[in-house]
Amino acid sequence: MQPDGHLSSTSVCLYPSRLFGKTARRKGTEVLIETFIRKQLRLKAPTVTRVEEDNECMIVRIDRLGKRLLRCGVCGHRCREVHDVRAERQWRDLPMRRLPLILRYCPRRVDCPRCGVRVEAFPWAEPWARVTSALAHAVAMLARELSWQGTAREYRLDWKSVATIVKRAVAYGLRNRARPPVHVIGIDEVSRRKGQLYLTVVYDLERRVLLWVGEDRTEEAVRRFFTEELGRRRCRTLRVVCMDMWAPYIHLVQRHAPNAQILFDRFHIVKHLNEAVDEVRRSLWRRLSVQERATFKGTRWLLLKNPWNLNDSQRERLSTLVRWNTPLVRAWYLKEAFQLFWAYQQRKRAEDHLGKWMNSAMRSKLEPFKKFVRMLRSHLDGVLAWTKTRVSNGAVEGMNNKIKSISHRSFGFRSPKHFITAIYHCCARLPLPNER
Ligand SMILES: [Zn+2]
């Protein structure tokens, strides 16, 4: 470097020879494809003998290198004795550019001093797998984003292979995932096929991660979460359980986590309230003549929307509706008045508000609202718990939407077992088996 900051012409000239000397003149950087694949697969005892290529795929033939010691497939012990050579097996590997890659090898059975005669361990795959660990890892990663069908198409596998890979990845993840103490959980239900099939999902609302999925929503089915997934010791750390007013869930929490506060989920309560408004609207609709129905059409969303989200013409229609139809108006005002409850900080004040509201709802002569009040009355403690612990399953709404999209994109899931596997895979942040 010259004092003025420019490189001098002489230093440019000297640069290569000074740095690299003789080693710079190595003979080419040619690497045989066999060597490349051997290094990629990290083969030690076996080696790549030949690589063939046709229009369909690339076939990599592997054989044992000399008398190198093989490892036992069960315990990993190095074994001196080879018992016999089995018929050739093949494994799918990550594609080479556009071509699917296939490994072919005749597995040996070794005579392990600890386990007896066993098939050797393969450095590229799990003993049972028909794809390499690298491909399995790539498939599992992609299956978190795409449907199993789409993933299969991407790697030119069949749906069943993808299902097997994901199932194994989930089983591994469930065995090896971190299990820190849980304090706040949310129990929710997911319905499929228009409510014919229910699943129960349990979230850790603090870490915002899925803890458990189970078939059905009966007490019998969900008990397994408390007995098997949590166990008695971890149940003791539960402080708040957020859920819908669903008797089986309530019984379970009272039974297995008596110290936890039951909190009825804000979003579920609002849902029940909206259903009451809708019920009033529908019973009115049934009593209307055809002409009257025309004016009345499309009011459902007007009534359920928050008033500040309405545009001018919608507001106009709502006010016509208000002047025109009294039971519906009462229902609408009741709904709006109830919503004030969520702002209260003090339990006493919230209780007063709720008491007054329930009285006026009982006097409203609207049967759906009376039903709603009766439900609130019998669950009052869990409703008022909101003032103390402001959590709701809304924290994991994103996850619920994800589950819905999994359900949408995979019509292929005939059995709930596959659906449950896919939910765990996408929402539980499970560790994947290490790529090799
Ligand atoms: Zn062994």
Side-chain angles (χ1 to χ4, degrees), residues 72 74-77 112 114-115 118:
C72 162
V74 179
C75 66
H77 189 263
C112 175
R114 294 182 207 167
C115 323
R118 296 289 161 155

Side-chain angles (χ1 to χ4, degrees), residues 35 54 59 133 154 160 174 226 264 272 290 324 335 339 343 378 397 426:
T35 318
D54 60 21
I59 297 166
S133 306
E154 189 65 29
K160 236 175 152 182
L174 287 176
F226 292 96
F264 294 113
H272 291 303
V290 180
W324 189 53
K335 182 200 97 178
Q339 301 283 25
S378 52
E397 181 143 318
C426 296

